[in-house]
Amino acid sequence: MSIAASRRLHGQVLTTADRWSSRRVYWLARNVGLLAGLCYFRIHVRGKKNLRTSGPTILAPVHRSNLDVPLIAGHCPRRLRSLAKQAMFRGPLTRWFSASIGAFPVQREQLDRVALETAQTLLARGEMLLVFPEGTRGSGRSIGDVHNGCAYLADATGARVIPIGVAGTEEAMPPGAKLARPRRVVVTVGEPIEPEQAAGKADAGRERRRALSELVRAEMQRLLDEAHETLAARTRARGTRRD
């Protein structure tokens, strides 16, 4: 897709998402995610107060399953915007629904400058944006290298970054699964990280963004470990009560 065509698509998506009817669809879908998390996955969220923040904010969760976005969105008091693969915007119906639930397209196989422009526009409007620093879905309990897109957006817009650990979603809906299994899920929400926290570690923009990325990665790992520890403790406690 050419840059001009991509900009037209992004413009249509933003226009659709700003409609009153689309916002109603978003909150309906968000509440469905909330109920599914509470009733089906028995989700436990630690640090939920950290999601009650105003102004431009980037959520930076661990990514292990397609369940991550709806389950996190269900506990956000603000509308959450997120990047989604281009295929979700091909037809008019799927484009309308994807835009209504807060998504906008990204071409994953290359550096998508138009998607970055849209992300900056949304943050400049003071919105909350979800970005997976790992890029695509990972597996296991270790965070490897992360992309600098999250740090770039935070550095360019002054948005705070909230790292998030997620445990249980990979077991509930692993890659390739068509239906989710009823597994317990734990989400740990960290303290907001201000872009200035990496400013003292490096002066040049690229070095500063790399330092911020490493800070976010370290916090994601800590929160992922904490989420798995909490999940294990809650599972043991349930087993003890059964005995």
Side-chain angles (χ1 to χ4, degrees):
M1 179 180 290
S2 68
I3 291 180
S6 183
R7 285 202 173 105
R8 283 196 298 272
L9 174 59
H10 279 255
Q12 293 169 0
V13 167
L14 290 181
T15 298
T16 299
D18 285 340
R19 291 173 183 157
W20 177 83
S21 57
S22 296
R23 290 176 182 267
R24 293 291 296 270
V25 170
Y26 174 86
W27 289 109
L28 176 61
R30 180 260 189 192
N31 290 334
V32 169
L34 176 63
L35 289 174
L38 294 173
C39 301
Y40 193 71
F41 301 106
R42 292 162 290 176
I43 191 170
H44 175 69
V45 182
R46 299 186 64 181
K48 188 174 179 179
K49 61 180 176 57
N50 294 325
L51 295 174
R52 303 187 191 102
T53 180
S54 60
T57 305
I58 300 172
L59 300 189
V62 172
H63 193 19
R64 295 291 178 268
S65 169
N66 286 334
L67 294 171
D68 296 331
V69 175
L71 292 183
I72 291 172
H75 291 269
C76 288
R78 299 164 57 190
R79 183 172 65 154
L80 185 61
R81 310 303 295 270
S82 60
L83 295 95
K85 59 185 179 182
Q86 193 92 15
M88 292 179 62
F89 299 85
R90 285 178 182 160
L93 183 59
T94 55
R95 183 167 59 245
W96 168 81
F97 182 73
S98 298
S100 296
I101 61 173
F104 60 97
V106 61
Q107 299 182 60
R108 293 176 175 175
E109 66 278 4
Q110 62 187 58
L111 175 62
D112 192 337
R113 298 189 182 279
V114 178
L116 283 176
E117 290 172 5
T118 299
Q120 287 181 263
T121 297
L122 294 171
L123 291 171
R125 286 164 39 170
E127 299 203 38
M128 179 177 275
L129 176 67
L130 185 145
V131 176
F132 290 117
E134 295 172 282
T136 58
R137 282 175 297 179
S139 181
R141 300 188 180 189
S142 296
I143 306 293
D145 293 334
V146 299
H147 298 287
N148 285 333
C150 176
Y152 171 82
L153 289 171
D155 189 45
T157 64
R160 62 185 62 84
V161 181
I162 300 179
I164 299 175
V166 183
T169 56
E170 185 175 4
E171 292 73 23
M173 193 173 185
K178 295 185 178 180
L179 295 175
R181 307 163 185 166
R183 300 289 189 271
R184 286 181 177 272
V185 172
V186 171
V187 174
T188 51
V189 185
E191 296 280 345
I193 298 173
E194 302 291 342
E196 293 79 9
Q197 289 180 239
K201 301 180 180 180
D203 295 326
R206 183 173 297 179
E207 293 178 0
R208 188 170 60 250
R209 291 191 288 272
R210 189 178 298 116
L212 180 55
S213 288
E214 181 54 34
L215 179 59
V216 171
R217 190 207 66 78
E219 276 298 287
M220 288 171 62
Q221 183 65 67
R222 183 184 69 81
L223 293 164
L224 178 60
D225 293 340
E226 184 179 307
H228 278 288
E229 290 169 5
T230 302
L231 180 59
R234 291 176 68 84
T235 301
R236 286 195 300 270
R238 182 175 177 80
T240 301
R241 287 195 297 271
R242 284 181 175 177
D243 294 341

